[in-house]
Amino acid sequence: MNIDQAFAFGLVGLTVAGFAWGRLPYDLVALLGLLAGMVLGIVPVKSAFSGFSDDVVVIVVAALLVSAAISRSGVVEDIMRPVMPFMRTAQRQVTVLVGAVTLLSMITKNVGALAMFMPVAAQVSRKNGTSISQLLMPMAFGSLIGGLVTLVGTSPNIIVSKIRQDLTGEPFRMFDYAPVGLGVAVTGFVFLSLASNLIPKRRAAGGAGEAFALDAYTAEAELAAGSPFEGRTVADLERAADNDIAVRTVIRERFRRMDAAPDMVLRAGDTLLLGGEPEGIERAVARAGLALTGEGVAPRGDVETESVVEGVVTPQSPAIGSRIDHLALPATHGVAVLAVSRGGEPIRRRLQTLRLREGDVLVLKGTSETVPPALAALRVLPLAERSIALGRNRRSFLPLGVLLVAMLLTAFGVISAVAAFFGAAVVLLMLRVMSMREAYETVEASVIVLLAALIPLSEAIQTTGGTDVIAGWLSQVVQGFSPLTSLFVVTILAMAVTPFLNNAATVLMLGPIAGSLATRLGLSPDPFLMAVAIGAACDFLTPIGHQCNTIVMAPGGYRFGDYWRLGLPLSLIVLFVGVPLISVVWPVVPG
């Protein structure tokens, strides 16, 4: 081992130790490691920042954007609605979500399957009070074991197939991975369904807006003719919103005000006073085909300019004591009131006739040009910003359809995964599913910096010849071992390297080594290549070896050391189930 190789291995080791220490932010540790690599000369300056354009970083950014677009559409949660009543306990939630992600990962790219169900996990967490950390990590791990089953499930399978073609002239086919992958996936799914309590309960890092615990809002909506809930009961409407709202009052024929009873039949033209949080009210409006009264007079804006904010009426507000309709907010200030919260007091009169009081919290809709001056003129103090669903009703199958097209193009080899996800993100932005500002807020900058700084650092092991050192060491270690033991060694090595080198780099490094090792030992290369694929695809120990682990890190509020708690026993299961299966399905000794 020369000095550059020693520096490379030592620097990677110190970086990992910095992650485990936990005193500095992970992205800062990665940046310090990259800087040290440049100073030591093992990371060339001209390639030090190439990580920002690496395929892995692009896929993570695009997957976060697509996931956010699907979350805003609400389509997947609508698809999952029939199952929601059975997901009352944390264990059932983990079982259903992990099962869904694992199955979908068998037929498409695992990162896409995970992105599709992350919004559902967020809704389940909010509705049932389950810590989001108990759901996201098992789902990420489920996507990894599901990806083992087919050629298109995960990148290592695709790369190993190409390496086999180079070695033998014949690539692995679509379902050659299935016999081993299914065994590992089923066993891993059972474990994940039962062991989520191994994960510490964490809170995701949220904005300051999450510090505000506001009482339920009241919004006013009209049941239009042709609504699917015309002729149905109040209880039906509340169930359609997952019982997250209450219909407080029904106003019929303009003046008849009636307390809502569960069995009351709704008619076209009824005005409903809905109580609940903005997200629940939005869900009711979307699913029942209602029209928010305030939105009908709100200034029109596109996805880039519309603005929905929460604000509290201050003691100095000139609006105190005035009826909302007398203020003529749309005409005079370019904003409209969508909902009002009054200290937990139920509001049972039409919002336009409501006289504002000090301390009332309003949801105002306008544009980025009209909202700030309106808040100033009315002396309404904006609350810390949080995402408000009310007034941004864009429920559509469009984001899900774009993602499915991208995954199908990848599955059939038309374009690469990075091109598919990048294209999906750009198409959704072009279709105005979200604004550019929302897109930038969706991307976790710390995750991007973490990955971009680590990629050149990990490549230093290859460029300094460290891979040759590993190959020579491996050849010496397995000399005299049985074929099955050699398979265990190769799998363990792939599992150990992947968390710090990323799975694609691990396969590119160890695949040829494993193939040549098998040839040197007079054994079939197929089981050794399978061992590399299984080991490289199953990174359960850190958040940096696979993009699925990285994507859930910030939303789940995980720390670097959280992953091994669930990941270590799962790694042992994969090892002791997968390797014997490989030896049975792919005989080590050539026939």
Side-chain angles (χ1 to χ4, degrees):
M1 181 184 298
N2 60 38
I3 187 65
D4 285 344
Q5 294 163 357
F7 279 150
F9 286 120
L11 190 52
V12 169
L14 287 174
T15 303
V16 173
F19 292 146
W21 186 42
R23 297 293 181 89
L24 295 176
Y26 303 132
D27 46 348
L28 179 56
V29 172
L31 289 173
L32 288 172
L34 178 59
L35 178 60
M38 295 167 62
V39 171
L40 294 172
I42 59 174
V43 177
V45 175
K46 63 179 181 181
S47 60
F49 309 107
S50 61
F52 287 96
S53 61
D54 190 88
D55 287 1
V56 173
V57 173
V58 175
I59 288 175
V60 169
V61 172
L64 287 171
L65 290 176
V66 173
S67 175
I70 293 174
S71 176
R72 285 171 169 79
S73 75
V75 170
V76 175
E77 66 184 52
D78 287 346
I79 295 173
M80 292 290 289
R81 275 183 63 201
V83 186
M84 291 291 189
F86 304 99
M87 299 171 63
R88 297 300 181 192
T89 66
Q91 184 171 332
R92 289 183 181 180
Q93 294 158 19
V94 172
T95 300
V96 172
L97 292 172
V98 171
V101 172
T102 301
L103 287 173
L104 189 57
S105 296
M106 294 180 185
I107 58 175
T108 186
K109 185 75 174 169
N110 49 19
V111 66
L114 178 62
M116 193 178 295
F117 279 93
M118 281 176 63
V120 180
Q123 184 198 352
V124 169
S125 172
R126 288 192 301 268
K127 185 173 179 60
N128 297 284
T130 306
S131 173
I132 190 70
S133 63
Q134 290 187 284
L135 304 177
L136 290 183
M137 189 184 295
M139 289 168 60
F141 290 175
S143 71
L144 297 185
I145 59 176
L148 298 174
V149 177
T150 61
L151 175 68
V152 299
T154 185
S155 299
N157 288 1
I158 298 173
I159 298 172
V160 163
S161 177
K162 294 178 180 178
I163 293 174
R164 185 184 191 245
Q165 185 173 25
D166 293 338
L167 291 175
T168 67
E170 183 76 19
F172 285 124
R173 296 182 297 274
M174 176 67 77
F175 298 106
D176 283 348
Y177 299 89
V180 177
L182 281 173
V184 172
V186 170
T187 311
F189 165 71
V190 172
F191 169 76
L192 291 172
S193 299
L194 301 175
S196 62
N197 59 341
L198 295 176
I199 307 169
K201 294 182 180 179
R202 304 285 190 203
R203 286 183 59 84
E210 295 182 9
F212 289 84
L214 300 176
D215 295 301
Y217 281 98
T218 298
E220 183 180 312
E222 182 178 339
L223 187 73
S227 165
F229 282 81
E230 183 180 353
R232 298 178 66 180
T233 65
V234 166
D236 291 334
L237 176 57
E238 291 176 344
R239 280 194 296 270
D242 301 330
N243 292 314
D244 284 342
I245 58 106
V247 181
R248 292 174 175 164
T249 303
V250 176
I251 301 171
R252 185 168 290 167
E253 298 169 359
R254 296 187 64 185
F255 302 108
R256 293 177 59 197
R257 182 180 291 108
M258 299 171 286
D259 289 336
D263 58 351
M264 178 183 290
V265 177
L266 300 173
R267 300 179 187 174
D270 284 349
T271 298
L272 311 177
L273 295 184
L274 309 175
E277 286 301 314
E279 187 176 70
I281 296 173
E282 185 276 334
R283 197 176 297 124
V285 168
R287 292 176 180 173
L290 305 178
L292 280 175
T293 304
E295 195 165 18
V297 296
R300 296 292 179 183
D302 59 25
V303 69
E304 293 289 348
T305 61
E306 74 173 9
S307 178
V308 180
V309 299
E310 294 171 291
V312 61
V313 178
T314 66
Q316 296 78 29
S317 174
I320 292 176
S322 299
R323 289 180 20 156
I324 291 178
D325 57 353
H326 289 173
L327 292 171
L329 296 178
T332 58
H333 295 289
V335 297
V337 177
L338 300 185
V340 179
S341 175
R342 177 166 283 175
E345 175 186 333
I347 298 174
R348 300 187 181 277
R349 61 187 305 168
R350 300 197 66 163
L351 295 188
Q352 292 300 310
T353 66
L354 189 69
R355 294 185 183 274
L356 293 178
R357 300 178 186 172
E358 175 189 341
D360 284 350
V361 181
L362 312 178
V363 175
L364 298 172
K365 181 173 183 178
T367 67
S368 55
E369 294 181 350
T370 62
V371 167
L375 293 174
L378 296 170
R379 299 294 192 273
V380 172
L381 181 67
L383 298 180
E385 187 175 355
R386 65 170 178 166
S387 179
I388 300 294
L390 195 62
R392 294 179 175 176
N393 179 21
R394 303 190 195 103
R395 289 191 171 237
S396 166
F397 281 92
L398 189 61
L400 182 60
V402 170
L403 176 60
L404 290 176
V405 169
M407 292 192 298
L408 286 173
L409 291 174
T410 303
F412 288 101
V414 179
I415 56 177
S416 66
V418 62
F421 278 93
F422 174 75
V426 173
V427 167
L428 289 175
L429 290 172
M430 284 290 294
L431 294 173
R432 321 306 287 156
V433 172
M434 68 174 73
S435 68
M436 291 302 298
R437 178 179 61 83
E438 292 170 331
Y440 288 125
E441 292 173 351
T442 295
V443 177
E444 291 285 344
S446 60
V447 172
I448 304 308
V449 171
L450 174 71
L451 286 175
L454 283 179
I455 287 170
L457 194 58
S458 64
E459 289 176 350
I461 295 178
Q462 295 173 286
T463 57
T464 59
T467 55
D468 297 330
V469 174
I470 296 174
W473 170 81
L474 183 61
S475 299
Q476 295 176 8
V477 168
V478 300
Q479 287 293 338
F481 284 2
S482 68
L484 183 60
T485 304
S486 298
L487 279 181
F488 270 105
V489 171
V490 170
T491 308
I492 292 171
L493 183 60
M495 284 182 164
V497 172
T498 287
F500 314 114
L501 198 60
N502 83 56
N503 54 15
T506 297
V507 174
L508 288 170
M509 179 184 74
L510 289 184
I513 293 173
S516 62
L517 176 66
T519 303
R520 188 177 303 177
L521 297 175
L523 303 174
S524 171
D526 289 342
F528 286 87
L529 293 176
M530 279 287 173
V532 171
I534 294 289
C538 293
D539 167 32
F540 309 122
L541 301 179
T542 73
I544 58 176
H546 196 283
Q547 53 264 44
C548 288
N549 293 354
T550 308
I551 287 172
V552 301
M553 186 179 184
Y558 300 120
R559 300 172 186 171
F560 193 89
D562 289 343
Y563 285 76
W564 69 268
R565 297 171 183 265
L566 185 67
L568 182 58
L570 183 57
S571 297
L572 294 175
I573 288 172
V574 171
L575 186 64
F576 288 104
V577 172
V579 173
L581 276 175
I582 291 174
S583 65
V584 172
V585 177
W586 301 92
V588 178
V589 179

